[in-house]
């Protein structure tokens, strides 16, 4: 909700709320020694603007409600909606209008009065401090400060009675006013300088200089500058590594994109108050003890600094990456924010509309590319960590940290986003009408948060004080002197037990496994560019010499090595559950964390791998590996824990829970299919069908109703094969009817033109090709549904979807065009998720006997394109060799594969590549355990490579059974020809 928007729409209608107070401010400023008349005028204008913005943000919704009431009751004059809007503006700018609101909104005016007083008092305080400190700011300006020329509020949230950071412009340049102690900034500046001096080298990192005035201070203004060349880019990212090493030792957190400024080759941290963050014991997540161990571990590593890429999961920031070096252009979700629609008419209302892109200054170039520079970050972290270790061994580090003990630091007990959301709720007209009920609701929400967030206060008095701050427009602020550790919060409240935070941070750093943290750091860095628009970061690497022979022995060995790695790297809980920390794809995007429960890259997919491995061992087609049985038991227990936790949360009213997506790889469909697969593969998954039934009945309808994606991966199309699998397993016609309803909805959403059908994808409104995200996958699901239901409409839309894909076939490229049109990417794609592999497998699945020449054409072209450009990137199944192998193997078996290539040669290529590169996953140099993007899928496909294996393909969702050496279903006529 932008204050600029509301100010534009409502003009000066709120002026009567503060006119007397603003006049009083002007009088008070006239008594401030050292302020010129022009400076007083600037201070008044800046305060008025800041106040108007605050009031518009808080009261716009209420004003629109009152205008709607007046319109309905015929109280507005004017023949047109525009004239009635103007009449309401005139009415609302009068004092009597606001006096009358005391009945419907009894506490609103008192709260507004506090907000006005606080804002103007904070503005007066800034002007007084400017006048007193002007001469002392010469060092920050590069000369005399000179005359005040502008004040810009809004550089941060308001805290502690309306105080906020401000950018002050003057004749000598700009300075930053900080209404908090800045001793910690000065201490960090000295610390960074001292490390460089002790290490005998310059560090690519910087802290702005400050003028410390005790309760407040002034900081050097750092302008945003792009790096001049590649060398400066390298220096910048090495400096990020330096910062990560320093922040790790001093317990720095919350260093998001707005706290970092790129200044040529130097990353500058401009807000240093959140250092030496205390650690609290983790709260049980309900996902199992292994997940709790992983969550607690991540919270204490370099991943917690806020600098490394990560995706938000809640509230209005779902899927956003606001990290210090994240927030990459083109990789942010389509955010929405409340704003006024139909403005200028008496039918204006608040609605969620696409939000404008937030300008950030954290990147050193207009097109930042972490893929090119993450090694420099790792190098900077490693080398400076060694320097810090050396300082510690010599006894210098503890002495260098000692000055921080007397500094006041801020502790973020709750993220700003929940505060902002609850503040918005507290200023809603319903809350203004019944403030006590709104406060009770806010108290309950904060208490629920405290049950899940270790640092969040649970003391009722502290929560009440937080709410009181939000009622008058402030974000609650908690701070402490670092040697004390007990937090001082709003209203003089206290939270947490005392303890020396500097000593605690140093102790945890000494105990840290920095080499392991570097592994997770690498995973987080690489995950930054692993979005749906993924393209291979390197040129493909194929074996120079294909090693032939010993295929079965080698296949078994490589599969066993993967299982050994899964067993040895698992994080284990006391309750028997297991998990891993890895980069994974969630519905919000890629992030590095404990695994979720999905089939794509979560514990459900790895459970399927473990169950399949044990079955193949029983059949003599795999070599036994110690610990796989216990691994499967722990994974199964973890899957149950995820499901039970989701049901508990859902049934815990009044908290509304966002439904999971319905997809067959991420979402409810994924969980249903995984349960059914495990019931087929493992005798220990006795409750699999029962759980799948409960998920379909209780979770899937709501998930489908909320879906806006449509695709197989996480959208409604993925629900169809899951329901058909459940129908096949139970023979209950309910699940076929549910699948038909989903199919009907997909048909309704389809865009039709010239015999083609496609679906709008959030980032690509003109349609998307391919299996996982696009028309082939949706068409395949509808075709499968038509085979079971006999509904001609489903088959018709499926054929139209295939016609859309066929229209993308490029005869010169002999491949299908990739509609994502990514920069520096090939025109066509040849992977399972995007391109030839998924297209070929889907066409073959619908016509396994190759009864139609069009299927042969599709299979031949797909195999040729995959062999040419879809091989050698990595070994994962999502967009690597293990899915390419499945397609090309089927094509060779059908006589449509690359010339002179045998199935044995193909498998030897796979094995040789794995032996040379160690089974490279989607994340180069990072161990990814999951089924589609990682090691799990490599092991599973190696099991399927045995000619006698009867494991279903996981590249075609909903499969429960497999034929020897292939994944074939019934024939389905009518595929469009290329």
């Amino acid at each position: 909700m932008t204050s600029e928007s509301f100010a534009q729409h409502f003009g000066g209608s709120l002026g009567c709320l503060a006119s007397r107070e603003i006049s009083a401010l002007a009088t008070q400023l006239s008594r401030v020694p050292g302020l010129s008349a022009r400076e007083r005028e600037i201070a008044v204008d800046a305060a008025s603007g800041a106040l108007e913005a605050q009031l518009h943000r808080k009261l716009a919704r209420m004003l629109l409600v009152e205008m709607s009431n007046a319109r309905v009751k015929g109280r507005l004059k004017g023949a047109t909606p525009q004239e009635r809007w103007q009449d309401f503006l005139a009415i609302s700018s009068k004092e009597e209008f606001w006096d009358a609101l005391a009945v419907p909104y009894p506490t609103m005016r008192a709260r507004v009065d506090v907000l006005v007083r606080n804002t103007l008092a904070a503005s007066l305080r800034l002007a007084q401090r400017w006048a007193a400190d002007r001469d002392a700011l010469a060092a920050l300006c590069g000369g005399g400060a000179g005359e005040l020329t502008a004040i810009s509020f809004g550089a941060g949230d308001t805290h502690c009675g309306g105080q906020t950071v401000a950018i002050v412009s003057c004749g000598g340049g700009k300075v930053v006013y900080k209404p908090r102690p800045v001793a910690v900034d000065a201490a960090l500046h000295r610390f960074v300088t001292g490390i460089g001096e002790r290490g005998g080298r310059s560090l690519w990192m910087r802290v702005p200089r400050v003028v410390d005035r005790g309760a407040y201070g002034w900081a050097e203004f750092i302008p945003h500058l792009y790096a001049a060349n590649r060398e400066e880019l390298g220096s910048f990212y090495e400096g990020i590594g330096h910062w990560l090493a320093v922040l790790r030792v001093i317990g720095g957190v919350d260093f998001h994109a707005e706290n970092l400024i790129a200044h040529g080759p130097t990353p500058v941290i401009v807000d240093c108050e959140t250092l030496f963050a205390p650690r609290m014991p983790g709260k049980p997540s309900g996902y199992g003890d292994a997940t709790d161990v992983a969550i607690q571990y991540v919270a204490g590593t370099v991943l917690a600094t806020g600098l490394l890429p990560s995706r938000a999961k809640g509230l209005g920031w779902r899927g956003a990456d606001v990290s210090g070096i994240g927030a990459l252009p083109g990789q942010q979700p389509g955010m929405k924010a409340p704003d006024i629609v139909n403005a200028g008419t008496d039918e204006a209302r608040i609605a969620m509309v696409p939000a404008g892109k937030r300008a950030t200054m954290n990147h050193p170039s207009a097109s930042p590319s972490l893929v090119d520079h993450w090694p420099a970050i790792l190098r900077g972290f490693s080398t400076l960590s060694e320097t810090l270790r050396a300082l510690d061994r010599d006894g210098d580090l503890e002495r260098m940290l000692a000055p921080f003990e007397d500094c006041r630091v801020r502790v973020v007990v709750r993220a700003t986003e929940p505060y902002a959301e609850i503040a918005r709720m507290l200023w809603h007209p319903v809350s203004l009408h019944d403030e006590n009920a709104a406060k009770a609701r806010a108290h309950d929400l904060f208490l629920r948060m405290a049950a899940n967030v270790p640092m969040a206060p649970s003391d009722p008095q502290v929560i009440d004080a937080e709410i009181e701050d939000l009622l008058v427009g402030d974000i609650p602020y908690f701070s402490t002197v670092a040697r004390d550790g007990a937090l001082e919060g709003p209203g003089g409240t206290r939270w947490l037990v005392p303890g020396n935070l500097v000593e605690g941070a140093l102790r945890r750093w000494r105990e840290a496994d920095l080499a392991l943290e570097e592994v997770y750091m690498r995973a987080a860095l690489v995950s930054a560019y692993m979005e749906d628009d993924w393209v291979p970061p390197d040129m493909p690497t194929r074996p120079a010499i294909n090693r032939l022979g010993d295929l079965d022995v080698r296949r078994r060995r490589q599969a066993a090595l993967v299982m050994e790695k899964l067993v040895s790297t698992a994080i284990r809980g006391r309750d028997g559950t297991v998990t891993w920390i890895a980069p994974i794809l969630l519905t919000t995007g890629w992030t590095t964390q404990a695994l979720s429960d999905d089939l794509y890259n979560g514990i459900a997919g790895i459970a399927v791998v473990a169950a399949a491995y044990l079955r193949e061992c029983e059949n003599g087609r795999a070599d036994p590996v110690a610990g796989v049985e216990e691994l499967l038991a722990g994974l199964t227990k973890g899957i149950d824990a995820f499901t039970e936790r989701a049901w508990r949360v859902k049934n815990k009213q009044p908290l509304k829970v966002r439904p999971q997506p319905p997809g067959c790889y991420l979402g409810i469909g994924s969980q249903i299919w995984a349960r059914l697969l495990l019931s087929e593969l493992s005798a220990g998954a006795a409750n699999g069908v029962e759980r799948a039934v409960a998920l379909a009945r209780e979770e899937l309808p709501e998930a489908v109703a909320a879906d806006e994606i449509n695709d197989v991966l996480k959208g409604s199309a993925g629900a169809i094969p899951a329901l058909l699998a459940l129908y096949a397993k139970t023979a209950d016609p309910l699940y076929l009817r549910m699948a038909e309803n989903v199919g009907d909805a997909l048909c309704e959403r389809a865009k039709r033109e010239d015999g083609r059908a496609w679906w709008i994808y959030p980032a690509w409104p003109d349609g998307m090709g391919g299996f996982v995200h696009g028309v082939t996958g949706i068409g395949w699901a509808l075709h499968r549904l038509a085979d079971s239901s006999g509904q001609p409409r489903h088959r018709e839309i499926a054929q139209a979807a295939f016609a859309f894909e066929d229209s993308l076939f490029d005869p010169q490229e002999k491949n299908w065009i990739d509609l994502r049109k990514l920069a520096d990417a090939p025109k066509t794609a040849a992977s399972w998720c995007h391109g030839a592999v998924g297209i070929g497998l889907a066409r073959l699945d619908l016509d396994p006997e190759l009864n139609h020449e069009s299927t042969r054409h599709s299979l031949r072209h797909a195999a040729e394109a995959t062999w040419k450009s879809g091989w050698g990137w990595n070994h994962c199944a999502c967009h690597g060799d293990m899915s390419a192998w499945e397609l090309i193997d089927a094509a060779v078996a059908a006589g449509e594969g690359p010339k002179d290539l045998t199935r044995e040669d193909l498998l030897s290529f796979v094995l040789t590549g794995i032996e040379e590169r160690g089974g490279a996953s989607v994340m180069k140099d990072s161990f990814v355990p999951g089924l589609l993007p990682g090691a799990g899928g490599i092991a599973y496909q190696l099991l399927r490579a045995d000619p006698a294996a009867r494991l279903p393909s996981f590249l075609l969702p909903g499969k429960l059974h497999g034929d020897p050496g292939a994944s074939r279903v019934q024939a389905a006529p009518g595929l469009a020809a290329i």
Side-chain angles (χ1 to χ4, degrees):
M1 190 180 299
T2 63
S3 57
E4 294 82 2
S5 170
F6 294 143
Q8 176 185 353
H9 296 319
F10 285 106
S13 63
L14 302 180
C16 63
L17 294 176
S19 57
R20 287 189 295 271
E21 289 78 2
I22 291 174
S23 296
L25 173 64
T27 300
Q28 291 169 313
L29 288 169
S30 67
R31 299 169 183 156
V32 175
L35 280 183
S36 68
R38 176 57 183 157
E39 288 178 317
R40 293 195 295 270
E41 182 180 338
I42 288 170
V44 170
D45 289 345
S48 300
L51 180 59
E52 184 178 53
Q54 283 253 58
L55 292 175
H56 280 301
R57 270 198 301 269
K58 300 296 186 293
L59 299 176
R61 194 182 295 269
M62 181 274 294
L63 285 169
L64 292 175
V65 168
E66 290 303 307
M67 181 173 63
S68 178
N69 289 338
R71 173 177 57 82
V72 170
K73 295 176 181 179
R75 295 175 179 171
L76 297 180
K77 300 176 182 177
T80 66
Q82 291 78 12
E83 290 174 350
R84 292 190 291 274
W85 165 276
Q86 292 298 327
D87 186 53
F88 179 76
L89 291 185
I91 293 171
S92 62
S93 64
K94 297 178 181 177
E95 192 72 41
E96 52 266 30
F97 168 82
W98 295 95
D99 291 341
L101 295 181
V103 175
Y105 312 114
T107 62
M108 184 265 296
R109 188 60 186 266
R111 287 167 57 181
V112 167
D113 288 344
V114 173
L115 188 153
V116 169
R117 287 197 302 270
N118 285 347
T119 301
L120 298 183
S123 301
L124 174 62
R125 197 173 300 119
L126 185 157
Q128 292 169 329
R129 289 169 173 175
W130 163 261
D133 298 337
R134 185 197 312 260
D135 293 342
L137 302 181
L140 304 183
C141 298
E147 187 86 350
L148 175 69
T149 57
I151 301 173
S152 176
F153 289 103
D157 300 309
T158 61
H159 306 285
C160 306
Q163 299 191 89
T164 183
V165 173
I167 307 298
V168 177
S169 301
C170 57
K174 292 182 178 181
V175 292
V176 181
Y177 166 71
K178 295 190 173 186
R180 62 158 178 87
V182 296
V184 68
D185 302 60
L188 183 58
H189 186 280
R190 291 192 298 270
F191 183 69
V192 168
T193 303
I195 295 171
E197 292 173 351
R198 298 301 178 88
R201 54 175 298 189
S202 297
L203 300 179
W204 295 106
M205 55 194 307
R206 180 177 167 191
V207 181
R209 295 168 297 163
V210 295
V211 171
D212 184 2
R213 284 294 186 256
Y216 70 97
W218 305 87
E220 176 186 12
F221 177 81
I222 305 295
H224 178 225
L225 295 175
Y226 284 145
N229 49 46
R230 187 170 182 81
E231 288 71 26
E232 287 197 355
L233 281 173
S235 298
F236 176 88
Y237 286 110
E238 186 175 357
I240 292 294
H242 293 157
W243 269 122
L244 286 165
V246 167
L247 293 177
R248 181 64 182 87
V249 77
I250 62 177
V253 299
D254 201 40
F255 289 96
H256 49 74
E258 293 183 354
N259 284 345
L260 180 74
I261 291 179
H263 186 72
T266 308
V268 184
I269 282 181
V270 295
D271 199 343
C272 312
E273 59 182 336
T274 50
L275 303 183
F276 305 101
R279 290 288 305 281
M280 293 280 287
K283 305 288 180 70
S285 66
Y287 296 129
D289 189 52
T291 297
D292 292 343
V293 171
I295 290 172
Q296 185 75 353
Y297 178 79
V298 168
T301 69
V302 70
L303 298 179
T305 62
L307 274 181
L308 294 167
S310 179
R311 297 275 164 183
K313 303 179 183 66
L315 299 169
W317 293 90
R318 186 174 174 83
D321 177 7
V322 296
S323 63
I325 58 171
L328 296 172
Q331 290 197 12
Q332 294 290 60
M335 306 292 291
K336 292 185 176 181
D339 207 344
I340 299 176
V341 297
N342 299 327
T345 74
D346 64 345
E347 297 175 352
R349 59 186 175 84
I350 299 289
M352 298 299 291
V353 300
K357 295 186 181 297
R358 293 165 62 94
T360 59
M361 296 183 287
N362 59 316
H363 293 305
S365 67
S367 300
S369 178
L370 286 182
V371 66
D372 295 327
H373 296 288
W374 61 264
I377 298 176
L378 294 173
R379 183 173 61 251
F381 176 80
S382 177
T383 55
L384 194 58
S385 293
E386 291 176 5
T387 298
L388 291 168
R389 292 290 198 202
L391 288 171
D392 195 33
R393 287 192 298 269
D394 294 340
D396 291 334
L397 184 59
E398 188 168 355
R399 181 174 52 79
M400 293 172 68
L401 290 172
F404 285 105
E405 294 186 345
D406 295 323
C407 297
R408 181 162 292 274
V409 294
R410 181 186 178 189
V411 177
V412 179
V413 299
R414 307 183 200 268
T416 299
E417 291 78 17
Y419 276 139
E421 290 292 325
I422 292 178
R424 184 177 296 141
M425 181 269 288
L426 289 170
W427 284 88
H428 190 280
V430 173
S431 300
L432 292 172
H433 176 69
D434 188 348
E435 184 177 289
N436 288 333
K439 289 165 68 174
R441 166 73 168 166
H443 191 106
D444 181 61
L445 290 172
F446 278 143
L447 204 56
R448 289 176 184 271
M449 183 186 297
N452 298 305
V453 179
M455 194 63 64
S458 58
D459 186 318
Q461 289 186 327
V462 178
I463 292 176
D464 287 342
E466 291 178 284
I467 293 171
E468 290 301 318
D469 265 13
L470 295 174
L471 287 172
V472 295
D474 279 345
I475 297 297
Y477 188 94
F478 292 82
S479 68
T480 183
V481 175
R483 71 166 68 252
D484 179 6
L487 305 187
E488 300 171 23
T493 55
R494 302 273 288 182
W495 177 241
L496 298 184
V497 296
N500 190 308
L501 300 184
V502 178
E503 291 179 357
L506 181 58
R507 182 184 68 255
R508 290 191 294 271
W509 176 78
R510 285 170 172 167
E511 296 169 351
D513 183 345
L514 295 184
L516 181 59
E517 291 194 31
E518 194 169 327
V519 171
Y520 294 136
M521 185 193 313
R522 180 187 298 112
L525 290 167
V526 177
S527 72
Y529 54 84
M530 289 301 305
E531 294 306 311
D532 289 339
D533 58 356
W534 180 88
V535 291
D538 299 308
M539 294 301 292
T541 302
R542 300 191 184 195
I545 299 176
N546 188 23
R547 181 188 166 205
L548 304 174
D550 300 325
L551 293 184
D552 189 59
V553 173
R554 295 162 64 197
R555 177 192 66 80
R556 288 167 174 260
R557 177 58 179 157
Q558 292 306 318
L561 286 174
V562 172
M563 300 310 297
E564 290 171 1
K565 186 75 175 285
L566 288 171
V567 170
S568 66
T569 57
I571 297 170
R572 302 173 188 276
R574 290 166 295 182
D575 60 355
T577 56
V578 295
T579 192
W580 293 260
I581 298 171
I584 60 173
L585 177 64
L586 302 174
T587 57
T588 55
W590 285 92
T591 193
T592 299
Q593 63 167 62
L595 268 56
S596 58
D597 63 336
D598 60 84
L599 197 72
Y600 182 86
N601 50 205
I603 58 174
I606 303 174
V608 168
V609 175
Y613 195 86
L614 291 173
R615 195 177 84 168
E616 293 304 285
C617 285
E618 291 175 2
N619 293 324
R621 295 189 288 267
D623 298 334
V625 172
V628 178
E629 294 89 347
E630 293 81 4
L631 193 73
L632 177 58
L635 288 163
T636 303
K637 189 169 185 178
I639 296 169
D640 288 342
F642 268 84
T643 301
E644 291 162 4
R645 195 261 188 191
W647 284 338
R648 285 197 305 272
V649 172
K650 181 180 180 182
N651 295 327
K652 188 183 291 184
Q653 297 299 328
L655 195 63
K656 179 66 175 175
V657 179
R658 181 193 301 270
Q660 295 185 60
C664 214
Y665 291 100
L666 294 176
I668 301 299
S670 159
Q671 297 166 32
I672 293 171
W673 182 26
R675 295 282 186 179
L676 297 177
L677 273 172
L678 289 171
S679 72
E680 291 286 323
L681 295 170
S682 172
N687 67 347
V689 177
E690 177 186 340
R691 290 287 182 134
V693 165
L695 287 163
R697 291 172 179 263
E698 299 178 24
E699 304 290 337
L700 197 56
E702 186 179 8
V704 170
D707 176 49
E708 298 177 348
I709 302 298
N710 302 314
D711 67 13
V712 166
L713 179 76
K714 53 188 174 183
S716 294
I720 292 175
L723 288 167
L724 292 180
L726 191 56
Y727 172 53
K729 187 74 175 178
T730 64
D732 188 336
L734 169 65
Y735 306 116
L736 178 58
R737 291 196 299 271
M738 290 176 68
E740 290 174 344
N741 291 337
V742 177
D744 291 342
L746 284 170
C747 291
E748 289 293 333
R749 297 175 196 164
K751 303 299 180 183
R752 305 286 302 274
E753 183 178 301
D754 298 332
R756 299 174 299 132
W758 70 95
W759 288 260
I760 293 176
Y761 200 76
W764 296 281
D766 296 328
M768 174 67 67
F771 183 78
V772 176
H773 302 290
V775 292
T776 287
I778 301 173
W780 172 87
L782 289 172
H783 216 303
R784 287 279 317 279
L785 176 60
D787 290 341
S788 297
S789 69
Q791 293 291 334
R793 185 188 185 196
H794 299 151
R795 194 180 304 278
E796 175 194 351
I797 299 297
Q799 294 289 8
F802 295 141
F804 182 93
E805 191 77 79
D806 291 343
S807 70
L808 300 179
F809 187 79
D810 187 319
Q812 292 183 330
E813 295 272 342
K814 293 183 180 180
N815 196 2
W816 291 264
I817 295 171
D818 185 351
L819 288 178
R820 294 173 298 166
K821 299 178 181 177
L822 304 175
D824 302 322
K827 180 180 180 181
T828 59
S831 61
W832 170 72
C833 51
H834 292 284
V837 172
I839 294 169
L841 287 174
R843 298 292 177 93
L844 177 62
D845 184 64
L846 296 177
D847 184 15
E849 302 303 326
L850 299 173
N851 292 323
H852 303 278
E853 187 61 27
S854 62
T855 308
R856 287 192 175 274
H857 289 165
S858 298
L859 182 60
R860 184 184 315 128
H861 289 308
E864 289 177 355
T866 302
W867 185 243
K868 176 183 176 182
S869 60
W871 194 274
W873 302 106
N874 57 67
H875 299 107
C876 82
C878 183
H879 29 255
D881 291 356
M882 299 317 297
S883 56
W885 162 80
E886 182 168 331
L887 171 72
I888 298 174
D889 182 72
V892 171
E896 299 296 342
K899 185 179 180 181
D900 299 328
L901 182 67
T902 68
R903 298 178 77 180
E904 292 75 18
D905 289 342
L906 178 66
L907 181 56
S908 69
F909 263 111
V910 172
L911 291 169
T912 304
I914 293 174
E915 289 162 348
E916 289 183 355
R917 302 173 65 193
S921 73
V922 67
M923 299 289 186
K924 183 181 178 183
D925 299 325
S926 294
F927 179 67
V928 180
L931 182 65
L932 269 304
I938 296 173
Y940 190 93
Q941 292 293 72
L942 289 173
L943 295 175
R944 292 188 71 241
D946 188 293
R950 298 181 65 86
L951 298 172
S953 171
F954 59 79
L955 299 177
L956 295 165
K959 302 297 183 184
L960 298 179
H961 308 285
D963 292 332
S967 56
R968 303 291 180 86
V969 196
Q970 59 198 24
L975 294 178
I978 293 180

